[in-house]
Amino acid sequence: MEKVIKVIFSISFIFYLLALVMLLFVGVMFVGIRGHIWTDLSLIEYLRSSSNFVPFKTISTYITAMFDGSLNISIPIKNLFGNLIMFLPMGIYLPYYIKKINKVGGFTFSMIILLFVIEVTQLVTRRGSFDIDDFILNMVGALIGFGIWKTKIVQRLLK
């Protein structure tokens, strides 16, 4: 039974990684957020026009829009909760596969590096933008996942 659980967990991790790559790098093209007009800009111009380095700027804009009705409610909900939920599974998978990051400090450091690499890769490949608010929401989601991972129920299930 233990082997079956490990195989199912591994297969689900592979599907999660594929879905993550699709959402972060491929899906952007289908949504039309970044089009061919961005390729005419230099990397510096692209960085300036598509990045947000001000913490909580996008988050507060979406929260305000939810209450004042200036945006369709589905847009802020998808962006806020989507970014939160997107990395929640990483909080479970990462400490499962990498035993050295089973403590909150090691996990947090690893996630900061991973998320920074993803944000910069999106920027350099022009498959998205660098948004510190995405970084914050992804990190919070991963920490929630890590909190779930550390619960006695989950630990008992794995043993």
Side-chain angles (χ1 to χ4, degrees):
M1 186 65 170
E2 186 178 321
K3 256 188 178 176
V4 172
I5 291 172
K6 284 185 178 186
V7 168
I8 290 171
F9 204 72
S10 295
I11 291 170
S12 71
F13 182 55
I14 290 167
F15 279 109
Y16 168 69
L17 289 177
L18 289 172
L20 203 56
V21 168
M22 293 295 288
L23 282 168
L24 294 171
F25 300 104
V26 180
V28 171
M29 295 302 287
F30 298 122
V31 176
I33 294 172
R34 303 283 175 254
H36 65 281
I37 58 167
W38 295 102
T39 57
D40 295 339
L41 300 176
S42 72
L43 186 58
I44 299 298
E45 290 170 324
Y46 182 77
L47 175 72
R48 280 191 203 128
S49 63
S50 68
S51 298
N52 170 35
F53 297 104
V54 180
F56 304 104
K57 178 182 175 184
T58 309
I59 294 170
S60 64
T61 301
Y62 283 138
I63 290 172
T64 302
M66 285 171 55
F67 290 105
D68 70 12
S70 60
L71 275 177
N72 180 331
I73 191 100
S74 67
I75 295 169
I77 288 174
K78 283 179 188 174
N79 279 284
L80 295 173
F81 294 105
N83 274 310
L84 229 136
I85 292 168
M86 190 177 347
F87 279 88
L88 191 145
M90 196 63 77
I92 297 166
Y93 287 121
L94 221 53
Y96 177 79
Y97 287 110
I98 306 171
K99 304 296 182 210
K100 289 185 178 184
I101 58 171
N102 210 11
K103 298 223 184 304
V104 73
F107 175 77
T108 301
F109 180 75
S110 299
M111 281 306 302
I112 288 170
I113 299 299
L114 176 64
L115 291 172
F116 183 74
V117 166
I118 289 169
E119 288 290 325
V120 169
T121 303
Q122 283 184 319
L123 183 66
V124 171
T125 61
R126 299 179 191 205
R127 297 287 189 225
S129 61
F130 186 96
D131 190 338
I132 193 67
D133 288 344
D134 287 352
F135 189 96
I136 291 167
L137 291 167
N138 294 159
M139 191 69 210
V140 170
L143 287 169
I144 290 169
F146 185 78
I148 293 168
W149 164 256
K150 295 300 271 184
T151 62
K152 289 180 182 179
I153 296 168
V154 172
Q155 293 303 311
R156 221 179 286 140
L157 282 172
L158 292 171
K159 292 182 181 186

